[in-house]
Amino acid sequence: MKTSEKPTNKAKDDSMILAIDIGGTKTLLGLYELDGDLKSSYKFETPQEYADFVQMLRDEIPKFIGKYHVNECVAAVPAKIDRAKGIGIAFGNRPWENVPIGKDLSTILGLPVNIENDANLAGLSEALLLPKKYKKVLYVTVSTGIGGAYVVDGKLDKSMIDAEVGHMMMEHEGRLCTWESFASGKAIFNKFGKRASDITDPSEWYIVARNIAIGLINVIATTTPDAVVIGGGVGSHLEKFKDRLEEELKLYQTNVVNIPPIFQAQKPEEAVIYGCYALAQQV
């Protein structure tokens, strides 16, 4: 994948951009040439303890980089973050709190490292894959939890960059709760005793679509996007409930709230790591 923007004398021919996708079970390293070609990649299990994780990075990154010169690095962090201080504040899939991931990576690499939330980077990547006529793109990932990103003119919108859409409070079945508490992959499993990949009953997909629509319409009304991209584990099955989702959303359509076209994420396995590269080209 490549963005439409070309690098402008950013470094020597052997210079690379290092992308790091820190996942709950696996961490993926990607070495990108400046034109967006993925030179190589390497995956390893993410240790449970943060100190062990840093040691793993210290051991593996130099071997992975080899002879190449890395002049930029962006790390995708599955957490609430403090960008200025390079801190991962709270992780949803690890008991890590207030860890100096940016500083630790900078020490290993000997250069400044930008960190960004993984959902934002996935959204940036997926937005860049859409036709340019879609200037404002809302990305929503429906997995264990629900996250999102808002991209305007090919860049993350700073006013929405820390919006935790899955934590929006709303009324559902007579009680006030977060959107992800009844519409996420975890909520689906709790309700049906099965993962989205195992659902075959149309009536169950109707409930999934309805619950996603309840929160999605609120985000659409707030952001007024030109297009919506659905990603994540549940989103990978969008074709099974897209028609029902669109029907549910149209119930809310008014002269003020227009329902944009909805797309399935095109590169769900690569979105985060490529988003790291795309952001490095913009900062």
Side-chain angles (χ1 to χ4, degrees):
M1 292 185 293
K2 299 181 181 181
T3 63
S4 58
E5 299 180 25
K6 295 294 183 181
T8 55
N9 300 321
K10 298 192 80 170
K12 302 180 298 181
D13 290 343
D14 64 344
S15 291
M16 296 284 171
I17 292 172
L18 177 62
I20 304 175
D21 177 10
I22 304 169
T25 58
K26 303 287 185 180
T27 292
L28 176 63
L29 307 179
L31 203 58
Y32 280 93
E33 296 181 343
L34 298 186
D35 63 359
D37 286 333
L38 182 62
K39 184 73 174 180
S40 60
S41 63
Y42 174 68
K43 185 182 293 186
F44 60 85
E45 291 188 10
T46 305
Q48 285 289 336
E49 299 299 326
Y50 180 71
D52 295 335
F53 175 63
V54 173
Q55 186 59 52
M56 182 74 78
L57 292 174
R58 191 175 291 115
D59 293 339
E60 298 299 331
I61 286 178
K63 291 187 292 184
F64 175 66
I65 293 172
K67 65 179 181 180
Y68 295 103
H69 170 72
V70 170
N71 67 322
E72 291 182 77
C73 176
V74 173
V77 184
K80 182 178 180 181
I81 62 175
D82 182 330
R83 294 171 188 80
K85 296 180 179 179
I87 293 174
I89 298 172
F91 290 69
N93 50 24
R94 281 289 184 274
W96 301 349
E97 294 184 356
N98 299 313
V99 297
I101 182 64
K103 179 180 178 180
D104 288 334
L105 281 168
S106 293
T107 299
I108 293 170
L109 290 165
L111 53 82
V113 173
N114 289 295
I115 66 170
E116 186 52 75
N117 176 266
D118 56 350
N120 282 335
L121 291 168
L124 176 62
S125 174
E126 289 292 337
L128 292 172
L129 289 171
L130 292 181
K132 291 183 179 180
K133 66 178 180 178
Y134 299 115
K135 302 293 186 182
K136 300 185 295 181
V137 179
L138 172 65
Y139 171 80
V140 176
T141 174
V142 186
S143 296
T144 303
I146 295 178
Y150 189 51
V151 180
V152 179
D153 292 327
K155 295 184 178 182
L156 289 168
D157 186 286
K158 292 183 179 180
S159 67
M160 290 284 293
I161 203 166
D162 288 317
E164 298 186 34
V165 296
H167 294 170
M168 292 188 306
M169 301 297 294
M170 59 194 67
E171 186 177 344
H172 178 66
E173 296 181 348
R175 63 188 182 92
L176 193 64
C177 55
T178 64
W179 182 23
E180 68 178 26
S181 71
F182 63 86
S184 65
K186 181 178 180 180
I188 290 171
F189 185 82
N190 289 341
K191 186 173 185 62
F192 301 118
K194 62 183 80 170
R195 301 180 185 278
S197 57
D198 298 320
I199 295 177
T200 57
D201 188 337
S203 66
E204 294 177 346
W205 278 120
Y206 164 74
I207 294 172
V208 170
R210 181 196 64 194
N211 290 342
I212 291 176
I214 290 171
L216 184 56
I217 191 61
N218 287 290
V219 188
I220 289 173
T222 301
T223 58
T224 64
D226 299 322
V228 174
V229 178
I230 307 293
V234 178
S236 66
H237 300 280
L238 181 63
E239 73 280 357
K240 299 175 183 177
F241 65 94
K242 182 181 178 182
D243 290 344
R244 179 62 71 179
L245 177 62
E246 291 175 336
E247 290 174 7
E248 289 294 308
L249 290 172
K250 286 178 181 178
L251 295 176
Y252 302 98
Q253 184 162 307
T254 67
N255 291 333
V256 178
V257 180
N258 184 54
I259 307 303
I262 297 176
F263 300 96
Q264 184 173 331
Q266 297 182 53
K267 303 284 186 179
E269 299 299 321
E270 305 169 22
V272 174
I273 198 74
Y274 183 75
C276 293
Y277 160 79
L279 184 64
Q281 289 289 65
Q282 295 178 0
V283 296

